[in-house]
């Protein structure tokens, strides 16, 4: 989703929510956060980016003797696929979905932005560094935009 699309969505959703009381806005933000968390966790568990492209597959892992420990292409982010790992901070001004623990936050950040981190050390003390491919864990897709519109419509007409 382009930034201008996100800006239009924010502006449109903000105008709708502006007519609601602060408690109703917080309730709407919480409902939107829960729906977005559910959609993002479904995407993470299916190993796909928000734009629908698959994650770059995981590499095979070998032990020190060269034997295969884990085959290539295995499922990723077992811990981050659970809702309990993601907190929702909702208030009358907006909603934020963030990892609960610093460990989950680091793991998510490294994969989200494709960072280079230290994965071990040699016997000499020299660091072993690895660059992780960029895998977008959190993001908005076209379906998420439709979901936000649906939640906004429910807040206007709560039938």
């Amino acid at each position: 989703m382009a930034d201008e699309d996100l800006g239009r969505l924010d502006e449109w959703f903000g105008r709708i929510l502006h007519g609601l009381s602060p408690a109703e806005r917080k309730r709407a933000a919480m409902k939107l956060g829960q729906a977005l968390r559910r959609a993002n966790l479904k995407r993470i568990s299916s190993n796909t980016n928000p734009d629908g492209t698959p994650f770059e597959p995981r590499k095979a892992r070998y032990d020190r003797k060269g034997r295969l420990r884990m085959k290539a292409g295995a499922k990723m982010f077992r811990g981050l696929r659970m809702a309990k790992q993601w907190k929702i901070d909702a208030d009358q001004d907006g909603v934020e979905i963030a990892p609960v623990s610093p460990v989950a936050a680091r793991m998510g950040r490294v994969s989200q932005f494709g960072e280079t981190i230290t994965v071990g050390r040699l016997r000499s003390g020299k660091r072993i560094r690895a660059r992780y491919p960029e895998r977008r864990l959190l993001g908005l897709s076209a379906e998420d935009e439709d979901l936000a519109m649906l939640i906004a419509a429910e807040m206007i007409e709560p039938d």
Side-chain angles (χ1 to χ4, degrees):
M1 176 184 279
D3 288 336
E4 63 270 358
D5 291 341
L6 185 59
R8 279 191 294 123
L9 174 67
D10 188 35
E11 179 184 332
W12 184 82
F13 200 68
R15 277 189 274 150
I16 289 174
L17 294 179
H18 186 67
L20 302 174
S21 71
E24 290 172 326
R25 281 190 294 217
K26 183 176 180 177
R27 198 171 319 120
M30 188 63 161
K31 193 171 184 178
L32 177 64
Q34 289 171 342
L36 289 175
R37 177 177 65 182
R38 199 174 307 114
N40 278 298
L41 291 180
K42 186 177 177 185
R43 248 193 321 270
I44 290 171
S45 66
S46 65
N47 285 350
T48 56
N49 290 309
D51 60 359
T53 59
F55 285 163
E56 184 173 324
R58 183 182 242 177
K59 294 179 181 178
R61 291 181 64 189
Y62 299 94
D63 64 7
R64 289 184 179 177
K65 295 181 181 178
R67 294 178 299 206
L68 183 67
R69 280 186 54 196
M70 187 182 347
K71 65 180 183 175
K75 287 283 190 176
M76 295 177 273
F77 308 112
R78 284 191 191 133
L80 293 180
R81 289 187 273 176
M82 295 181 281
K84 70 180 183 178
Q85 292 293 333
W86 299 93
K87 65 182 174 184
I88 300 172
D89 291 330
D91 60 7
Q92 63 186 13
D93 297 326
V95 63
E96 178 183 351
I97 301 171
V100 173
S101 70
V103 174
R106 182 170 184 254
M107 184 171 39
R109 185 184 67 245
V110 166
S111 293
Q112 178 88 4
F113 302 114
E115 296 177 355
T116 302
I117 63 167
T118 300
V119 293
R121 292 192 180 270
L122 297 174
R123 289 185 181 176
S124 64
K126 186 177 176 184
R127 292 187 284 177
I128 303 169
R129 300 188 48 85
R131 178 161 183 83
Y132 282 75
E134 185 176 311
R135 297 178 176 116
R136 306 292 294 180
L137 299 177
L138 296 179
L140 291 175
S141 66
E143 293 86 23
D144 295 339
E145 184 178 348
D146 295 339
L147 185 66
M149 301 294 185
L150 200 110
I151 290 172
E154 285 178 9
M155 297 317 293
I156 294 171
E157 298 177 14
D159 291 333

